[in-house]
Amino acid sequence: MSTSIFQSEQLLFTPGTPTPNRLPLIFAFPNTYCVGITSLGFQVVWAMLCARSDLQVSRLFTDVHEPLPQQPQLLGFSLSWELDYANILQMLEDLDIPLRSEHRTAAHPLVFGGGPVLTANPEPFADFFDVILLGDGEELLGQFVDTFQTVYQADRSTQLLTLAQVPGVYIPSLYEVQYQASEGAIATIKPNSADVPAQVQKQTYRGNTLSASTVVTPKAAWESIYMVEVVRSCPEMCRFCLASYLTLPFRTPDATQTLLPQIEKGLAVTKRIGLLGASVTQHPEFDQLIDYFAHADRDQVRLSIASVRTNTVTVKLAQVLAQRDTRSITIAIESGSERLRQIINKKLQNDEIHQAAANAYEGQLKGIKLYGMVGIPGEMDSDVEATIDLMLQLKKEVPGLRLTLGCSTFVPKAHTPFQWFGVNPTAKKSLQLMQKKLRAQGIDFRPESYKWSIIQALLARGDRRVSHLLELTRHFGDSLGSYRRAFKQLRGQIPPLDFYVFQEWSTDQILPWSHLQGPLPQSTLEKHLLNATDFM
C-alpha cells in the first residue's frame, strides 16, 4: 500500500466530525487509483459518505487502499465499466468475503453497488451483491445509509427486508426468477414476500446543482483536472442511447448561480477544467460559459469539453477551445446516412456536419473526431457507404484538419427503445470495409473491437444465469474465446450466446430488468420503437 498517492490529493469538501460509534465502511472502485479517482461519480459518492459523521470511510482500489477496518459493516462498489466485474470478484476474495450473497453471514459486511452499469441492468451481477442502488446517488445514498443505521445490529434478513422498503434500493435475493426452461426465456420475476415491492423504481435527482469534483490530484488519469457536470441526460433521445433514456429528464443547472461558482472554486486550485455531460453545448446558457473562458484573465486555463452537439460547433467555440489548449473537438454523427439517422432519431443533417468541420478549422482547431456506429437496426450496405463517402468529402473540404472516425457496433441497452434488437453480425464486415477504404485515404479510423461489443451485449441483456458464466470466464481470461468456452461448459444450464447477443426479442417477453422501472414505462418505449420501424 502506498500512502503517497493519497497525500497528493487536494480535498474540496469538509469531512464530517467523527462520532464515537461510527460504522466502518469500505468504498471500492474496481480498477486502479488513477482510473477510479478520475470518475466524477466515484468522487462525489465518496465525499458524500465522508461528510457523514456516523461513517468511517476507507477507499479501496485494485492497486492501493487506505487503512482498512478489520470488520467493515458495509462494502460499496461503484461500477462504471462492465468488464470491471472481474476485479470486484477478485477484491471480494482478497477481503475473504464469499462471492455470492447467499453464502454470506452476519460475519460479513453488507455488499452494495451502484453506478451506471448496475442501474441499467444489474441482473448478470445481482447474485454478487446484497444491495444495489438504482439511480442518482444525491438522495438515494443518504436514505440507504440512514435506514441501514437503524438496523445494522439486526439479523441479515431483517436488514435486507427493511432496506427493500427504501425507494431505489434493490435487494436481488428477495426476488425469485423462474424460467420457461433452463435454456429458455424468463417466465416470471416475483418478490418472495408480500412485504417486498413488486417493482423497484430508479431514483432521479431533480435538484438544480449537479456534480463537481470533490478532489483534485496530479495522480488522476486526467492530471489535476477539476470536473463540472454541465448537463445531465440529453434532450435528443437517440433510440439506442442509454446515456439519454436512462437518465431522463434533461437537467441543466443555472450558469450564474451554480456553474460559474463551481468553476471558480476549481480554478482556485488548478488551471485544468473539464466540462462534462452527454450534450454539454445544449445547456441553454452555454454561450455564457464560453464567454467566461474567453476572457483574457483565463489565458492559462486548459479547457476540455466532453461532448459537443454537431450543430453547435461555431467558429467562436472552436477559437476559445483552441486558445485554451484543446487541439480537437468530438462530435457524434452515428452515420453518414440521413435515412439511418431518422431510424435512430438523430436530428442531424449532413450539411451541419460539413459546417461543423469548416468552423472547427476556421477556429484554429487541429482536428475533429467523429463518432459513428455500424450494425444499427435497419442498416443497409448503402448506409455504410454513405459514412465512407461523408468522411472522404470532409477530407477534401478541410484538408488541413486532422480527421478521426471512431466507430462502434450497435449494442442493445436496457430501458431504451432498441433494447429488443440483437447485435447485427454484419457489423464486423462493415468495420472491415470502412477500415480498408478510409485508412487508404489517410483518415484515422479507430474501430471499437467487434468482439468486445459481443461481450458488452451479453452483459447488457444478461439475466441471473449469466453470473455463473462470469465466475468461470474470469479464470479463463476475458477474451471472447473464454466466454465461448464457459458457455460450452454450462451447456444445458443457461441459454446459448446467440440468445443474449444476436436474438431479436419480442415486446411481450419478460426482460431480465422488467421488475426494475426506468424513467419511461415500457409502453412509451414501444411507441418510440414503432416510430423507428416506420423508417426501416
Side-chain angles (χ1 to χ4, degrees):
M1 181 188 73
S2 169
T3 56
S4 61
I5 264 188
F6 301 115
Q7 288 166 357
S8 65
E9 294 178 334
Q10 196 157 1
L11 299 192
L12 302 176
F13 69 95
T14 305
T17 304
T19 56
N21 298 319
R22 56 188 179 151
L23 295 183
L25 177 152
I26 298 173
F27 187 45
F29 192 92
N31 209 307
T32 60
Y33 174 87
C34 81
V35 173
I37 206 65
T38 313
S39 163
L40 183 57
F42 178 83
Q43 281 191 24
V44 169
V45 171
W46 166 61
M48 288 171 65
L49 293 170
C50 286
R52 297 182 64 112
S53 57
D54 57 355
L55 295 177
Q56 174 193 333
V57 183
S58 302
R59 284 174 294 167
L60 171 64
F61 302 91
T62 55
D63 54 347
V64 294
H65 60 81
E66 293 174 311
L68 301 179
Q70 288 293 310
Q71 291 184 302
Q73 294 286 329
L74 290 167
L75 167 60
F77 287 95
S78 176
L79 187 57
S80 301
W81 192 52
E82 291 92 339
L83 284 187
D84 276 347
Y85 80 82
N87 291 332
I88 290 179
L89 301 186
Q90 185 60 52
M91 291 163 107
L92 287 171
E93 281 188 354
D94 292 343
L95 292 166
D96 292 324
I97 297 170
L99 298 187
R100 293 182 169 268
S101 61
E102 62 184 323
H103 298 144
R104 295 177 197 139
T105 68
H108 301 113
L110 213 60
V111 178
F112 71 95
V117 172
L118 294 175
T119 295
N121 175 24
E123 290 306 285
F125 319 101
D127 289 342
F128 306 132
F129 289 93
D130 300 304
V131 178
I132 292 172
L133 307 182
L134 302 178
D136 297 336
E138 280 89 347
E139 289 159 7
L140 174 57
L141 188 71
Q143 291 172 0
F144 162 65
V145 176
D146 288 346
T147 305
F148 181 72
Q149 285 281 16
T150 67
V151 291
Y152 80 92
Q153 291 180 310
D155 60 85
R156 208 169 188 85
S157 60
T158 300
Q159 289 178 349
L160 295 176
L161 192 58
T162 304
L163 288 167
Q165 312 310 314
V166 179
V169 174
Y170 172 44
I171 312 295
S173 62
L174 299 184
Y175 295 80
E176 186 179 342
V177 184
Q178 294 188 330
Y179 305 94
Q180 294 173 7
S182 59
E183 296 186 54
I186 294 171
T188 59
I189 305 174
K190 293 179 180 175
N192 60 17
S193 149
D195 298 327
V196 179
Q199 280 213 325
V200 185
Q201 175 77 51
K202 174 201 172 270
Q203 295 302 288
T204 301
Y205 167 69
R206 298 176 187 274
N208 192 38
T209 301
L210 298 183
S211 302
S213 285
T214 60
V215 60
V216 169
T217 171
K219 305 293 186 181
W222 296 334
E223 185 182 335
S224 298
I225 194 168
Y226 178 86
M227 299 171 284
V228 180
E229 186 183 17
V230 176
V231 300
R232 190 171 293 183
S233 194
C234 175
E236 297 306 307
M237 295 178 70
C238 295
R239 295 180 177 118
F240 64 85
C241 184
L242 184 69
S244 179
Y245 273 85
L246 187 65
T247 57
L248 287 170
F250 183 57
R251 282 149 287 169
T252 59
D254 181 270
T256 306
Q257 298 296 316
T258 303
L259 291 178
L260 292 177
Q262 284 179 329
I263 291 165
E264 293 276 359
K265 183 178 178 181
L267 287 174
V269 295
T270 182
K271 295 302 179 188
R272 188 173 186 186
I273 302 291
L275 303 182
L276 306 189
S279 191
V280 170
T281 54
Q282 285 182 275
H283 190 288
E285 299 168 289
F286 186 74
D287 284 347
Q288 190 175 336
L289 294 182
I290 287 300
D291 288 342
Y292 173 87
F293 285 107
H295 199 276
D297 288 354
R298 288 157 204 119
D299 281 349
Q300 303 305 310
V301 173
R302 295 174 64 194
L303 176 65
S304 56
I305 295 182
S307 59
V308 178
R309 179 156 165 76
T310 305
N311 63 3
T312 63
V313 181
T314 60
V315 174
K316 178 182 176 182
L317 172 62
Q319 285 173 336
V320 172
L321 290 174
Q323 290 161 5
R324 299 293 175 261
D325 206 33
T326 291
R327 293 188 175 87
S328 66
I329 202 167
T330 301
I331 59 175
I333 62 165
E334 316 313 344
S335 173
S337 162
E338 296 196 343
R339 182 191 75 89
L340 213 56
R341 289 201 297 268
Q342 284 183 307
I343 290 175
I344 61 176
N345 195 37
K346 185 82 178 178
K347 305 171 193 74
L348 178 63
Q349 303 297 316
N350 276 355
D351 58 355
E352 293 174 312
I353 301 171
H354 292 281
Q355 191 62 56
N359 290 349
Y361 182 62
E362 189 179 338
Q364 305 296 305
L365 285 171
K366 303 297 183 189
I368 186 167
K369 183 174 183 179
L370 300 91
Y371 273 120
M373 185 181 288
V374 292
I376 292 169
E379 182 181 83
M380 297 187 290
D381 290 347
S382 57
D383 298 311
V384 179
E385 292 286 355
T387 303
I388 295 169
D389 291 344
L390 172 69
M391 295 303 297
L392 297 179
Q393 288 167 17
L394 290 174
K395 184 173 173 61
K396 288 179 183 176
E397 290 168 12
V398 280
L401 195 68
R402 188 181 68 253
L403 288 179
T404 303
L405 177 63
C407 197
S408 61
T409 296
F410 162 74
V411 172
K413 296 288 188 177
H415 307 290
T416 70
F418 281 6
Q419 63 186 356
W420 292 282
F421 287 113
V423 171
N424 184 345
T426 65
K428 187 176 182 180
K429 288 184 179 177
S430 299
L431 289 172
Q432 290 168 343
L433 177 68
M434 294 170 86
Q435 180 161 307
K436 180 182 176 184
K437 292 200 172 184
L438 293 176
R439 287 187 176 169
Q441 297 299 319
I443 292 172
D444 184 7
F445 179 64
R446 300 181 186 178
E448 210 174 81
S449 162
Y450 172 77
K451 290 180 179 179
W452 153 237
S453 298
I454 299 301
I455 297 169
Q456 199 181 14
L458 166 67
L459 298 176
R461 295 174 105 201
D463 53 45
R464 291 194 188 180
R465 292 171 289 191
V466 171
S467 68
H468 302 286
L469 185 92
L470 300 184
E471 281 193 74
L472 279 175
T473 53
R474 73 184 264 258
H475 298 298
F476 297 157
D478 59 11
S479 69
L480 186 58
S482 299
Y483 283 84
R484 293 194 184 281
R485 180 179 166 191
F487 268 109
K488 190 174 181 180
Q489 196 164 319
L490 292 170
R491 186 174 291 158
Q493 299 173 54
I494 69 170
L497 178 73
D498 284 12
F499 170 80
Y500 293 111
V501 174
F502 299 110
Q503 203 173 104
E504 189 169 314
W505 289 352
S506 162
T507 52
D508 297 328
Q509 193 169 325
I510 294 176
L511 302 174
W513 51 89
S514 287
H515 57 310
L516 309 174
Q517 179 59 56
L520 297 177
Q522 177 164 323
S523 56
T524 302
L525 296 179
E526 286 182 30
K527 285 178 187 173
H528 291 198
L529 174 66
L530 197 60
N531 290 340
T533 57
D534 288 343
F535 297 102
M536 291 182 184

